[in-house]
Amino acid sequence: MTTANTSSKTPKVQKHFRLPDPPQREPDEMTQYDTLFKYGDSHALAMHLGKPESTLVEADRWIVAGPEDNKARARRPDLLVAFGVDPEAYRASNGYVVSEQGKAPDFLLEVASESTGETDVAEKREDYAALGIGEYWCFEETGEHHGTKLAGDRLVEGRHEPVEIRELSGGVLQGYSRALNLNLRWEEGDLVFRDTAEGDPIATLESERRDRLAAEARAEAAENRASAAEARNRELEEELRRLRESN
């Protein structure tokens, strides 16, 4: 009698390490949505930086040192930028795994809320330095929960050191991000990324819409002027014809 070979086993498929989905945010934490996503600022930053095949501009997913890392210490930054990484691995892992990417993110930003403000400037600052984050920025509309409206730290020899924040005319605050090669500004409660060469804000969905409407208005005005000039020419030609006929 032939019996099945029970000694052989089907090899198990190794599953990719995947972080759990983040929990739902508290209502007061929606400040990060208003600051970064409501008007497409994060999308504008991604478009400005380019190279989506190797550049991550992401938010609201976990960042850990490695699969074995203590998940209780995992953080969920409001904005993350990393150059020279694998976006597909980020999506497969449902977050940023430093050991998997081979490097820490170049830039992180937290937007303050009442429930997160104290953590942003204390524990998170230490944890992000330990992970090797190149730059860590904090933004707040009022300065009530961070103690300041705009602050940046740059990693130097394993420790974050403050980035110089200058006050410009009109109460505008500005700091230079070496990682992004952009100036970050607090402008009347808004976070604005500005080009360092021209000083203009990077293009956003709203600014592109305004530029398109302005271009359409200019084109319509030019067409109206051309139509008016053509009508005037016809009037002059008709008047000249009448004068010739009367003579």
Side-chain angles (χ1 to χ4, degrees):
M1 182 176 65
T2 303
T3 59
N5 183 0
T6 57
S7 62
S8 62
K9 295 182 180 180
T10 303
K12 293 183 179 180
V13 177
Q14 184 68 33
K15 291 185 177 180
H16 186 90
F17 169 75
R18 184 174 175 83
L19 289 160
D21 290 335
Q24 186 174 355
R25 285 187 175 273
E26 297 295 329
D28 77 298
E29 292 185 74
M30 294 310 291
T31 51
Q32 55 99 228
Y33 170 80
D34 293 338
T35 299
L36 297 169
F37 310 117
K38 188 174 183 178
Y39 299 106
D41 288 355
S42 60
H43 173 77
L45 181 60
M47 293 299 99
H48 177 81
L49 296 175
K51 296 184 178 181
E53 69 281 359
S54 61
T55 299
L56 271 175
V57 180
E58 289 287 348
D60 217 19
R61 292 189 188 181
W62 300 115
I63 176 172
V64 295
E68 71 289 344
D69 198 26
N70 182 0
K71 302 308 180 292
R73 298 290 294 176
R75 296 302 183 186
R76 186 166 42 128
D78 291 329
L79 183 65
L80 174 155
V81 178
F83 301 104
V85 294
D86 184 357
E88 288 303 320
Y90 175 85
R91 286 184 274 273
S93 297
N94 200 32
Y96 197 101
V97 184
V98 176
S99 63
E100 184 177 70
Q101 295 289 355
K103 57 168 288 188
D106 299 276
F107 175 99
L108 290 185
L109 181 139
E110 297 283 6
V111 178
S113 63
E114 184 176 0
S115 60
T116 67
E118 185 175 342
T119 305
D120 289 345
V121 297
E123 290 97 330
K124 285 184 183 179
R125 191 169 184 264
E126 296 176 1
D127 290 343
Y128 289 153
L131 284 171
I133 309 300
E135 286 185 3
Y136 173 45
W137 290 77
C138 290
F139 173 86
E140 186 178 357
E141 180 181 355
T142 64
E144 178 183 358
H145 306 300
H146 277 166
T148 184
K149 297 171 182 177
L150 180 68
D153 286 317
R154 187 172 292 123
L155 196 65
V156 179
E157 296 182 354
R159 296 179 61 85
H160 276 140
E161 295 187 355
V163 173
E164 179 187 8
I165 304 296
R166 296 187 298 127
E167 183 168 352
L168 309 180
S169 61
V172 172
L173 301 176
Q174 176 175 287
Y176 171 65
S177 167
R178 189 181 298 165
L180 304 182
N181 192 27
L182 292 171
N183 286 321
L184 273 66
R185 282 190 180 184
W186 181 97
E187 295 185 10
E188 298 181 346
D190 293 328
L191 174 64
V192 181
F193 295 94
R194 285 185 174 266
D195 183 85
T196 55
E198 303 296 332
D200 297 327
I202 63 173
T204 64
L205 296 176
E206 178 61 21
S207 67
E208 289 178 351
R209 185 186 73 84
R210 289 197 304 267
D211 291 345
R212 186 181 68 254
L213 292 176
E216 290 173 355
R218 289 194 297 270
E220 183 179 359
E223 184 177 348
N224 290 338
R225 288 194 299 270
S227 297
E230 185 178 348
R232 179 57 179 161
N233 287 337
R234 286 197 298 268
E235 291 175 1
L236 291 173
E237 289 173 357
E238 180 62 23
E239 184 177 354
L240 180 60
R241 185 187 63 79
R242 287 197 301 270
L243 290 172
R244 288 173 178 171
E245 289 178 352
S246 63
N247 293 331

